[in-house]
Amino acid sequence: MSNSNTIIKKVVQTIEEEIVLGVLHPRERLVEDELLSRFEIKRHIVRKILEELETMGLVERRRNVGAIIKAYSAEEVEYLYSFRELLEVQAAKMITFPIPSDQLEALISIQEKYDDAVENGDLRKIFRLNVLFHQSFFGLCSNPFLVSSIIDHAQRAHSIRASTMSSSDLIQQARQEHWLIIDTLRNGDREKLIELCRSHLTPSKEAYIRSVNLRNNFV
Protein backbone atom coordinates (compact mmCIF):
# COMPACT_ATOMS: atom_id res chain seq x y z
CA MET A 1 0.00 0.00 0.00
CA SER A 2 1.43 3.42 -0.97
CA ASN A 3 2.07 6.08 1.67
CA SER A 4 -0.82 8.24 0.41
CA ASN A 5 -3.22 5.28 0.55
CA THR A 6 -2.10 4.53 4.10
CA ILE A 7 -2.76 8.13 5.12
CA ILE A 8 -6.18 8.12 3.44
CA LYS A 9 -7.14 4.88 5.19
CA LYS A 10 -5.98 6.16 8.59
CA VAL A 11 -7.79 9.50 8.34
CA VAL A 12 -10.97 7.87 7.01
CA GLN A 13 -10.95 5.44 9.94
CA THR A 14 -10.43 8.31 12.39
CA ILE A 15 -13.34 10.33 10.99
CA GLU A 16 -15.51 7.20 10.83
CA GLU A 17 -14.87 6.57 14.53
CA GLU A 18 -15.59 10.19 15.41
CA ILE A 19 -18.95 9.97 13.64
CA VAL A 20 -19.91 6.78 15.49
CA LEU A 21 -18.74 8.15 18.84
CA GLY A 22 -20.61 11.43 18.41
CA VAL A 23 -17.51 13.63 18.23
CA LEU A 24 -18.73 14.70 14.80
CA HIS A 25 -22.45 15.31 14.52
CA PRO A 26 -24.99 14.92 11.69
CA ARG A 27 -25.02 18.01 9.44
CA GLU A 28 -21.64 19.15 10.77
CA ARG A 29 -19.36 20.47 8.02
CA LEU A 30 -16.02 18.92 7.24
CA VAL A 31 -13.98 21.94 6.15
CA GLU A 32 -11.09 21.15 3.82
CA ASP A 33 -8.76 23.75 5.34
CA GLU A 34 -9.39 22.42 8.85
CA LEU A 35 -8.63 18.86 7.71
CA LEU A 36 -5.46 20.09 5.97
CA SER A 37 -4.26 21.64 9.21
CA ARG A 38 -5.39 18.91 11.58
CA PHE A 39 -3.90 15.95 9.71
CA GLU A 40 -1.04 17.83 8.01
CA ILE A 41 -1.93 16.51 4.57
CA LYS A 42 -2.23 17.93 1.07
CA ARG A 43 -5.47 19.16 -0.48
CA HIS A 44 -5.71 16.38 -3.07
CA ILE A 45 -5.45 13.84 -0.21
CA VAL A 46 -8.26 15.63 1.68
CA ARG A 47 -10.48 15.44 -1.39
CA LYS A 48 -9.82 11.72 -1.80
CA ILE A 49 -10.70 11.24 1.88
CA LEU A 50 -13.99 13.07 1.41
CA GLU A 51 -14.73 11.00 -1.70
CA GLU A 52 -14.15 7.79 0.27
CA LEU A 53 -16.35 8.96 3.14
CA GLU A 54 -19.08 9.84 0.65
CA THR A 55 -18.82 6.39 -0.96
CA MET A 56 -19.17 4.84 2.51
CA GLY A 57 -22.40 6.78 3.06
CA LEU A 58 -20.95 8.75 5.98
CA VAL A 59 -20.70 12.13 4.28
CA GLU A 60 -22.68 13.97 1.66
CA ARG A 61 -21.34 16.81 -0.44
CA ARG A 62 -23.60 19.70 -1.37
CA ARG A 63 -23.00 22.43 -3.88
CA ASN A 64 -21.99 25.74 -2.26
CA VAL A 65 -21.91 24.01 1.13
CA GLY A 66 -19.21 21.36 0.91
CA ALA A 67 -18.99 18.09 2.81
CA ILE A 68 -21.29 17.48 5.78
CA ILE A 69 -21.83 14.48 8.05
CA LYS A 70 -24.76 12.43 6.80
CA ALA A 71 -28.03 13.08 8.62
CA TYR A 72 -31.25 11.10 8.35
CA SER A 73 -34.87 12.01 8.87
CA ALA A 74 -36.95 9.72 11.08
CA GLU A 75 -38.61 8.35 7.93
CA GLU A 76 -35.25 7.61 6.29
CA VAL A 77 -34.10 5.78 9.40
CA GLU A 78 -37.21 3.60 9.27
CA TYR A 79 -36.54 2.81 5.61
CA LEU A 80 -32.86 2.03 6.19
CA TYR A 81 -33.50 -0.20 9.19
CA SER A 82 -36.38 -2.06 7.59
CA PHE A 83 -34.03 -2.88 4.70
CA ARG A 84 -31.25 -3.90 7.10
CA GLU A 85 -33.72 -6.20 8.83
CA LEU A 86 -34.65 -7.85 5.53
CA LEU A 87 -30.99 -8.46 4.72
CA GLU A 88 -29.98 -9.73 8.14
CA VAL A 89 -33.00 -11.99 8.61
CA GLN A 90 -32.34 -13.52 5.21
CA ALA A 91 -28.73 -14.17 6.19
CA ALA A 92 -29.90 -15.85 9.42
CA LYS A 93 -32.17 -18.09 7.34
CA MET A 94 -29.21 -19.16 5.17
CA ILE A 95 -26.73 -20.06 7.91
CA THR A 96 -26.03 -23.79 7.92
CA PHE A 97 -26.23 -25.64 11.24
CA PRO A 98 -24.34 -27.00 13.05
CA ILE A 99 -21.77 -24.21 13.09
CA PRO A 100 -18.20 -25.52 12.70
CA SER A 101 -16.45 -25.35 16.08
CA ASP A 102 -13.53 -23.25 14.77
CA GLN A 103 -15.91 -20.59 13.43
CA LEU A 104 -17.87 -20.50 16.67
CA GLU A 105 -14.67 -20.24 18.70
CA ALA A 106 -13.48 -17.36 16.50
CA LEU A 107 -16.74 -15.50 17.21
CA ILE A 108 -16.38 -16.18 20.95
CA SER A 109 -12.82 -14.85 20.88
CA ILE A 110 -13.99 -11.60 19.28
CA GLN A 111 -16.75 -11.26 21.87
CA GLU A 112 -14.33 -11.81 24.75
CA LYS A 113 -12.20 -8.95 23.43
CA TYR A 114 -15.40 -6.89 23.10
CA ASP A 115 -16.19 -7.65 26.76
CA ASP A 116 -12.72 -6.44 27.78
CA ALA A 117 -13.22 -3.21 25.81
CA VAL A 118 -16.57 -2.64 27.54
CA GLU A 119 -15.01 -3.24 30.96
CA ASN A 120 -12.23 -0.76 30.13
CA GLY A 121 -14.62 1.80 28.63
CA ASP A 122 -12.64 1.85 25.38
CA LEU A 123 -15.29 3.13 22.96
CA ARG A 124 -13.10 2.98 19.87
CA LYS A 125 -12.32 -0.70 20.51
CA ILE A 126 -15.98 -1.37 21.31
CA PHE A 127 -16.92 0.07 17.93
CA ARG A 128 -14.26 -1.81 15.95
CA LEU A 129 -14.89 -5.12 17.69
CA ASN A 130 -18.63 -4.70 17.24
CA VAL A 131 -18.07 -4.32 13.49
CA LEU A 132 -15.80 -7.39 13.48
CA PHE A 133 -18.33 -9.42 15.49
CA HIS A 134 -21.13 -8.73 13.03
CA GLN A 135 -18.94 -9.29 9.99
CA SER A 136 -17.91 -12.67 11.42
CA PHE A 137 -21.46 -13.55 12.43
CA PHE A 138 -23.03 -12.76 9.07
CA GLY A 139 -19.98 -14.26 7.36
CA LEU A 140 -21.46 -17.61 8.40
CA CYS A 141 -24.02 -17.04 5.64
CA SER A 142 -23.08 -18.72 2.36
CA ASN A 143 -24.01 -15.76 0.10
CA PRO A 144 -21.07 -13.31 -0.12
CA PHE A 145 -23.14 -10.69 -1.98
CA LEU A 146 -25.70 -10.67 0.82
CA VAL A 147 -22.95 -10.37 3.44
CA SER A 148 -21.35 -7.48 1.53
CA SER A 149 -24.68 -5.66 1.37
CA ILE A 150 -25.23 -6.17 5.12
CA ILE A 151 -21.82 -4.67 5.88
CA ASP A 152 -22.39 -1.75 3.52
CA HIS A 153 -25.77 -0.78 5.02
CA ALA A 154 -24.52 -1.22 8.58
CA GLN A 155 -21.75 1.23 7.71
CA ARG A 156 -24.29 3.74 6.36
CA ALA A 157 -25.96 3.69 9.76
CA HIS A 158 -22.85 4.89 11.63
CA SER A 159 -24.19 8.38 12.34
CA ILE A 160 -27.38 6.77 13.65
CA ARG A 161 -25.45 4.49 16.01
CA ALA A 162 -23.87 7.46 17.80
CA SER A 163 -27.06 7.64 19.87
CA THR A 164 -26.35 4.23 21.41
CA MET A 165 -22.57 4.60 21.81
CA SER A 166 -23.19 7.39 24.34
CA SER A 167 -25.29 5.06 26.53
CA SER A 168 -23.51 2.58 28.82
CA ASP A 169 -26.83 0.76 29.34
CA LEU A 170 -27.28 0.21 25.60
CA ILE A 171 -23.66 -0.92 25.23
CA GLN A 172 -24.25 -3.49 27.98
CA GLN A 173 -27.46 -4.57 26.26
CA ALA A 174 -25.61 -5.10 22.97
CA ARG A 175 -22.97 -7.08 24.85
CA GLN A 176 -25.59 -9.41 26.33
CA GLU A 177 -27.31 -9.82 22.97
CA HIS A 178 -24.02 -10.84 21.34
CA TRP A 179 -23.70 -13.71 23.82
CA LEU A 180 -27.32 -14.68 23.15
CA ILE A 181 -26.49 -14.82 19.44
CA ILE A 182 -23.51 -17.08 20.18
CA ASP A 183 -25.62 -19.38 22.36
CA THR A 184 -28.33 -19.51 19.70
CA LEU A 185 -25.78 -20.40 17.01
CA ARG A 186 -24.42 -23.13 19.27
CA ASN A 187 -27.92 -24.52 19.84
CA GLY A 188 -28.93 -24.24 16.18
CA ASP A 189 -32.17 -22.39 17.01
CA ARG A 190 -32.95 -20.58 13.76
CA GLU A 191 -36.23 -18.96 14.86
CA LYS A 192 -34.55 -17.49 17.94
CA LEU A 193 -31.66 -16.29 15.80
CA ILE A 194 -34.05 -14.47 13.45
CA GLU A 195 -35.78 -12.88 16.43
CA LEU A 196 -32.42 -11.70 17.80
CA CYS A 197 -31.43 -10.22 14.44
CA ARG A 198 -34.59 -8.14 14.48
CA SER A 199 -34.41 -7.01 18.11
CA HIS A 200 -30.68 -6.22 17.96
CA LEU A 201 -31.36 -3.47 15.39
CA THR A 202 -34.05 -1.74 17.43
CA PRO A 203 -32.14 0.26 20.11
CA SER A 204 -30.03 2.39 17.75
CA LYS A 205 -32.99 3.08 15.48
CA GLU A 206 -35.27 4.12 18.33
CA ALA A 207 -32.60 6.23 20.07
CA TYR A 208 -31.87 8.16 16.88
CA ILE A 209 -35.53 8.75 16.10
CA ARG A 210 -36.07 10.05 19.65
CA SER A 211 -33.20 12.50 19.18
CA VAL A 212 -34.61 13.64 15.81
CA ASN A 213 -38.06 14.19 17.32
CA LEU A 214 -36.59 16.11 20.27
CA ARG A 215 -34.59 18.31 17.92
CA ASN A 216 -37.65 18.98 15.76
CA ASN A 217 -39.67 19.98 18.83
CA PHE A 218 -37.15 22.71 19.62
CA VAL A 219 -37.02 24.10 16.08
Side-chain angles (χ1 to χ4, degrees), residues 94-121:
M94 296 178 68
I95 290 173
T96 301
F97 293 117
I99 306 298
S101 60
D102 60 329
Q103 293 181 345
L104 194 59
E105 288 302 318
L107 198 60
I108 291 170
S109 177
I110 293 166
Q111 183 55 31
E112 288 173 342
K113 293 182 177 68
Y114 182 97
D115 287 353
D116 289 341
V118 172
E119 292 297 330
N120 294 326

Side-chain angles (χ1 to χ4, degrees), residues 93-184:
K93 290 178 178 178
M94 296 178 68
I95 290 173
T96 301
F97 293 117
I99 306 298
S101 60
D102 60 329
Q103 293 181 345
L104 194 59
E105 288 302 318
L107 198 60
I108 291 170
S109 177
I110 293 166
Q111 183 55 31
E112 288 173 342
K113 293 182 177 68
Y114 182 97
D115 287 353
D116 289 341
V118 172
E119 292 297 330
N120 294 326
D122 190 332
L123 293 179
R124 290 179 187 268
K125 279 190 177 179
I126 290 170
F127 163 57
R128 289 296 172 194
L129 288 164
N130 183 71
V131 170
L132 184 58
F133 178 88
H134 288 91
Q135 288 179 348
S136 299
F137 166 39
F138 290 113
L140 298 172
C141 165
S142 59
N143 186 328
F145 297 100
L146 179 56
V147 174
S148 177
S149 190
I150 288 171
I151 293 170
D152 174 66
H153 286 83
Q155 187 171 260
R156 292 175 184 277
H158 279 352
S159 62
I160 298 169
R161 292 191 56 242
S163 299
T164 56
M165 290 298 291
S166 61
S167 168
S168 58
D169 288 343
L170 291 178
I171 289 173
Q172 288 290 350
Q173 180 179 330
R175 176 186 185 178
Q176 293 166 6
E177 289 175 354
H178 286 181
W179 281 111
L180 285 173
I181 288 170
I182 289 170
D183 288 342
T184 304

Side-chain angles (χ1 to χ4, degrees), residues 36-111:
L36 283 170
S37 175
R38 177 185 175 188
F39 294 106
E40 300 181 341
I41 51 181
K42 298 183 183 297
R43 192 169 298 277
H44 75 279
I45 296 292
V46 169
R47 290 176 176 167
K48 287 182 179 179
I49 288 165
L50 294 176
E51 287 174 6
E52 177 65 18
L53 290 167
E54 185 177 32
T55 299
M56 294 167 69
L58 303 180
V59 162
E60 55 183 331
R61 290 191 285 180
R62 297 179 181 176
R63 191 169 184 176
N64 301 323
V65 175
I68 63 172
I69 305 301
K70 177 68 178 176
Y72 293 94
S73 67
E75 184 178 43
E76 288 172 329
V77 172
E78 292 284 3
Y79 289 152
L80 175 57
Y81 272 69
S82 64
F83 187 58
R84 290 186 66 196
E85 181 180 315
L86 284 173
L87 295 172
E88 295 185 13
V89 165
Q90 181 60 32
K93 290 178 178 178
M94 296 178 68
I95 290 173
T96 301
F97 293 117
I99 306 298
S101 60
D102 60 329
Q103 293 181 345
L104 194 59
E105 288 302 318
L107 198 60
I108 291 170
S109 177
I110 293 166
Q111 183 55 31

